[in-house]
């Protein structure tokens, strides 16, 4: 008896894939042989550069734009990936925005912007993923460890990311029988522009010291967790994986 192995690559769509954690995830999944849909919200040049990097190394990737909170744009994004590569196996929701301020002082327009991208965007993309991801696939959302550490000024951001975790836990159970896992990665302090913006050196140093490993995380640290959930972790489902260097 002979066994044949498919040479067709698995396919992943990564929202926010042109920078920060999303870019690291794209690069890590490319190393695992995935064909990639690299999503961007506004900076096509950055997404094109990531695609060029992957294809130059012998991989497969396309850039796709659109507002994650717009269901029509995301339907078109999923269509584009399926047309290019024949289907979708993994969806990573890495797109997100963060505005920090005390609850008493936060501009409500900023609250609405975070909720649109972080909650509605995750919901819209998850909805498409639930309809389209192939059996054996995975849906991976990105939250934050501040849902546990409860730092001041993070109230609105944590509210949006706690919703992401809630969506994850429900969707994992709604997809019973589909052979699709749904999990959330909750990073600690990661050295990305999103995290570093507006923080002085003393604040950044305090964040680094807060973990037992006494450093900030790197986007690649989070990408390793995503690759685990996207690949071998078939018995991990409906969970929040705190990727934070031991932060409480």
């Amino acid at each position: 008896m002979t066994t044949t192995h498919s040479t067709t690559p698995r396919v992943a769509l990564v929202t926010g894939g042109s920078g920060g954690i999303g870019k690291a995830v794209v690069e890590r999944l490319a190393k695992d042989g995935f064909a990639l849909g690299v999503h961007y919200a506004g900076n096509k040049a950055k997404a094109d550069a990531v695609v060029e990097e992957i294809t130059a190394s012998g991989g497969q990737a396309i850039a796709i734009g659109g507002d994650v909170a717009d269901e029509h744009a995301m339907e078109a994004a999923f269509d584009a990936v399926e047309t290019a590569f024949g289907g979708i196996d993994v969806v990573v929701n890495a797109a997100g925005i963060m505005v920090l301020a005390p609850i008493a002082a936060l501009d409500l327009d900023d609250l609405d912007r975070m909720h649109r991208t972080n909650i509605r965007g995750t919901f819209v993309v998850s909805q498409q993923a639930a309809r389209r991801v192939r059996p054996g696939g995975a849906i991976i959302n990105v939250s934050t460890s501040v849902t546990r550490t409860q730092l001041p000024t993070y109230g609105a951001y944590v509210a949006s990311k706690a919703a992401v975790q809630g969506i994850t836990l429900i969707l994992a159970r709604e997809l019973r029988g589909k052979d699709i896992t749904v999990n959330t990665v909750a990073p600690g302090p990661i050295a990305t522009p999103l995290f570093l913006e507006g923080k002085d050196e003393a604040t950044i140093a305090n964040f680094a010291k807060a973990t037992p490993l006494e450093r900030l995380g790197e986007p690649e640290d989070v990408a390793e967790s995503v690759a685990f959930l996207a690949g071998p972790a078939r018995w991990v489902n409906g969970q929040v994986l705190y990727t934070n260097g031991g932060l409480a």
Side-chain angles (χ1 to χ4, degrees):
M1 179 179 178
T2 59
T3 301
T4 58
H5 298 279
S6 173
T7 58
T8 303
R10 298 182 78 211
V11 179
L13 167 59
V14 181
T15 68
S18 63
I21 289 172
K23 180 174 182 288
V25 168
V26 165
E27 293 170 342
R28 180 63 177 80
L29 294 182
K31 289 180 181 178
D32 284 347
F34 278 81
L36 275 305
V38 182
H39 164 268
Y40 64 93
N43 195 327
K44 185 177 186 299
K46 285 179 64 176
D48 286 341
V50 175
V51 168
E52 184 176 348
E53 175 186 322
I54 293 169
T55 56
S57 299
Q60 300 180 63
I62 61 169
I64 43 175
D67 176 1
V68 290
D70 182 331
E71 65 271 31
H72 304 296
M74 288 303 98
E75 184 177 5
F78 275 75
D79 286 345
V81 174
E82 289 180 336
T83 298
F85 303 123
I88 299 177
D89 301 289
V90 172
V91 173
V92 183
N93 270 307
I97 61 174
M98 178 172 68
V99 180
L100 302 182
I103 291 170
L106 183 76
D107 187 319
L108 293 181
D109 287 341
D110 289 331
L111 176 70
D112 291 341
R113 286 198 303 119
M114 278 191 286
H115 279 206
R116 177 174 172 78
T117 297
N118 298 353
I119 300 178
R120 181 183 169 93
T122 296
F123 196 99
V124 166
V125 174
S126 294
Q127 188 174 67
Q128 287 294 323
R131 295 168 179 171
R132 304 211 199 192
V133 167
R134 295 184 287 205
I139 302 168
I140 303 160
N141 296 320
V142 177
S143 178
T144 174
S145 287
V146 191
T147 55
R148 295 201 307 195
T149 57
Q150 300 159 354
L151 297 174
T153 76
Y154 279 78
Y157 180 67
V158 163
S160 70
K161 289 301 189 176
V164 168
Q165 294 180 191
I167 291 167
T168 297
L169 302 183
I170 297 295
L171 184 57
R173 286 148 183 84
E174 290 181 346
L175 294 182
R176 172 183 291 274
K178 302 288 188 181
D179 191 23
I180 297 169
T181 61
V182 190
N183 294 286
T184 287
V185 174
I190 306 296
T192 64
L194 182 70
F195 171 78
L196 297 172
E197 183 179 359
K199 295 182 175 69
D200 59 28
E201 290 186 9
T203 299
I204 293 169
N206 286 336
F207 272 106
K209 281 286 188 180
T211 72
L213 296 179
E214 295 191 338
R215 68 171 176 87
L216 294 180
E218 297 294 335
E220 292 75 15
D221 294 319
V222 183
E224 287 296 332
S225 293
V226 172
F228 172 65
L229 294 173
R234 299 307 303 164
W235 194 235
V236 181
N237 190 27
Q239 304 299 318
V240 179
L241 178 57
Y242 288 90
T243 303
N244 61 20
L247 196 68

